[in-house]
Amino acid sequence: MDLPAELLSQLERFCVYQERCEQDVRKKLTATPCSVAQRDAIIEHLREFDFLNEERYVDTFVRSKIREQWGKLKIRQALRVKNIDPKLIDERFADIDEDEYRQMLEETIAKWRRINAGDADNKNKLIRFLLNRGFQMDEVLAAVKQD
């Protein structure tokens, strides 16, 4: 199939700049006058030459969101929205170091308490904050109880 060289080059740069998933590329392609067959061929080309790699995308996404102090639930939901295979998500979650994850939760609690010094005793606000960050209720209650 004859693929538009300029568009292909643009999408290669798009994928090199930052890890992308297939949905990101498809969204970018909807703004172009390509046929569905051309879009599929472009995505296949990007996969073949390793510009597009879902496993690498999930690894990068999970690591970056944990650094941003997101909980597992929020990360999982964000990946589902991107139509990532649930098996791939589960595989990557199995690689998360639980001690580092727990440490990050404790750091998140400490940071919240520093910022909200006047409300530091209000556990309900802290628990709501942590749940909104995507942490599971059992891990939140265990971490808050420790303090």
Side-chain angles (χ1 to χ4, degrees):
M1 174 168 287
D2 187 33
L3 299 176
E6 178 65 29
L7 179 60
L8 200 54
S9 175
Q10 179 184 8
L11 287 168
E12 287 173 353
R13 285 191 309 274
F14 179 68
C15 291
V16 167
Y17 176 73
Q18 174 181 320
E19 287 296 335
R20 309 289 180 175
C21 66
E22 182 177 330
Q23 184 179 357
D24 294 339
V25 175
R26 286 196 183 278
K27 185 176 179 182
K28 184 92 168 162
L29 282 168
T30 58
T32 65
C34 291
S35 68
V36 174
Q38 283 179 320
R39 290 177 189 167
D40 291 340
I42 288 170
I43 288 174
E44 188 57 39
H45 168 85
L46 294 173
R47 274 198 194 114
E48 181 181 334
F49 291 97
D50 210 28
F51 288 101
L52 190 59
N53 184 317
E54 297 273 314
E55 292 177 6
R56 199 172 56 219
Y57 174 80
V58 172
D59 284 340
T60 303
F61 189 89
V62 169
R63 273 189 273 115
S64 71
K65 296 310 177 189
I66 285 179
R67 272 194 305 268
E68 293 177 20
Q69 298 179 327
W70 282 26
K72 290 179 183 178
L73 294 174
K74 190 171 182 176
I75 296 170
R76 186 179 296 275
Q77 182 59 32
L79 289 170
R80 282 186 188 142
V81 167
K82 297 279 190 174
N83 292 323
I84 302 296
D85 181 17
K87 291 177 187 174
L88 182 58
I89 297 170
D90 292 339
E91 288 173 13
R92 295 305 173 243
F93 271 53
D95 295 340
I96 295 174
D97 183 335
E98 290 302 319
D99 292 333
E100 288 180 25
Y101 184 76
R102 201 172 304 102
Q103 177 68 28
M104 182 268 297
L105 173 57
E106 291 169 8
E107 290 170 4
T108 304
I109 291 170
K111 181 179 177 182
W112 185 89
R113 288 195 167 140
R114 277 193 313 274
I115 293 171
N116 298 287
D119 290 334
D121 294 329
N122 191 340
K123 283 189 177 181
N124 289 333
K125 283 186 179 180
L126 174 58
I127 291 170
R128 274 195 312 271
F129 169 76
L130 294 170
L131 292 175
N132 284 333
R133 296 296 289 191
F135 295 99
Q136 296 173 345
M137 179 63 93
D138 58 336
E139 58 192 16
V140 167
L141 293 177
V144 170
K145 188 184 282 188
Q146 281 180 346
D147 294 336

